[in-house]
Amino acid sequence: MRYLLFILFFTVIACNNTTVTKETVIGIIPYKNIDDSKVALVSKAITDYYGVKVKVLPHSEFPSSAFVNIKSPRYRADSLIAIQERNMQPDVDYILGLTDKDISVTKRDENGNIKSPEWEYNDFGVMGLAYRPGNSCIVSDFRLKHKNKEVQFGRFKKVAIHELGHNFGLPHCPDKSCVMTDAVEQISTIDNAKPELCIACKSNLIFPAEQCATHRYFSI
């Protein structure tokens, strides 16, 4: 099983005056049929690790516009985080979607072309996607399955911490023990990483509020 890890130039954002503090609110959207125990697990992990507030929103249906059936029935992760961002409630600062359905993106090279072979990368299954920096991300445990539920839940927590790290401005980390490491399409990379930022990432944490006229990217 392979996973996508890519960065795609997207747009430009301006400065704002907000910061990430203990008063910052992460809104969680549980998409239809995801188990409440998984939502509770991720909620606690986010609160414990980043020290922010978490608001679990009502279960949501998938928007039909995000559905594709190119290689298999999936939902486009890029469409989902854009829709989440457009529909953010005023009382939350970041939005995290959680699902157990398959999600996908188009994987491109540094020139913006679909990677080869095109049939494989045109609609490529992933475990998470986030704006970097930004305020919307999504995580799926469809590709995180393991017969040991503790291992599966551990993967889910790590990917959630990872994707929010991208929202907060962090790029991928060369330290393979850091939760921000590049998965390079290998689930073993996630298993070997710790559910926390390395010292370098902690010291280099850049929140979107601190970045003016910064290029915005998709990060996985």
Side-chain angles (χ1 to χ4, degrees):
M1 191 177 293
R2 292 175 291 181
Y3 303 88
L4 171 61
L5 185 50
F6 83 116
I7 298 175
L8 174 65
F9 173 76
F10 186 61
T11 186
V12 174
I13 62 172
C15 294
N16 58 59
N17 295 318
T18 61
T19 57
V20 177
T21 70
K22 63 181 181 180
E23 300 302 319
T24 295
V25 179
I26 310 294
I28 291 183
I29 298 177
Y31 283 101
K32 183 179 179 180
N33 296 329
I34 190 167
D35 194 289
D36 286 338
S37 64
K38 295 179 182 178
V39 178
L41 179 86
V42 171
S43 299
K44 185 176 187 303
I46 292 170
T47 300
D48 289 348
Y49 192 73
Y50 285 118
V52 295
K53 295 181 178 180
V54 172
K55 179 180 180 180
V56 178
L57 305 172
H59 281 249
S60 177
E61 298 282 344
F62 279 99
S64 58
S65 59
F67 179 78
V68 293
N69 193 3
I70 298 172
K71 292 190 292 186
S72 63
R74 293 171 171 171
Y75 292 89
R76 292 286 298 193
D78 46 357
S79 295
L80 289 170
I81 63 173
I83 293 168
Q84 289 176 176
E85 184 179 55
R86 288 198 300 270
N87 296 324
M88 278 183 64
Q89 297 182 3
D91 58 346
V92 301
D93 303 297
Y94 297 85
I95 197 78
L96 166 64
L98 297 178
T99 180
D100 57 5
K101 301 299 183 184
D102 200 10
I103 59 176
S104 63
V105 293
T106 298
K107 188 173 183 180
R108 299 178 184 274
D109 60 25
E110 62 276 8
N111 297 316
N113 301 313
I114 299 175
K115 294 192 69 174
S116 181
E118 185 172 327
W119 64 266
E120 179 176 3
Y121 290 114
N122 184 49
D123 187 57
F124 197 83
V126 297
M127 52 191 170
L129 185 71
Y131 289 127
R132 179 176 69 84
N135 55 7
S136 181
C137 60
I138 188 162
V139 175
S140 167
D141 79 340
F142 184 87
R143 296 172 179 274
L144 302 174
K145 298 292 193 298
H146 193 280
K147 60 183 179 181
N148 184 325
K149 294 301 181 182
E150 291 300 316
V151 173
Q152 182 175 336
F153 288 170
R155 291 171 174 176
F156 203 35
K157 289 191 295 185
K158 290 178 188 178
V159 177
I161 293 171
H162 177 104
E163 298 304 340
L164 279 172
H166 282 318
N167 272 180
F168 298 158
L170 288 174
H172 289 127
C173 178
D175 184 343
K176 294 303 180 183
S177 67
C178 178
V179 75
M180 294 307 300
T181 190
D182 183 336
V184 291
E185 302 178 12
Q186 298 292 328
I187 193 64
S188 59
T189 308
I190 304 302
D191 290 337
N192 292 332
K194 297 177 181 178
E196 59 188 39
L197 301 174
C198 66
I199 294 175
C201 283
K202 287 179 181 177
S203 64
N204 291 325
L205 191 62
I206 302 173
F207 295 116
E210 300 170 359
Q211 302 187 43
C212 300
T214 303
H215 291 314
R216 188 181 185 188
Y217 299 82
F218 288 129
S219 288
I220 292 177

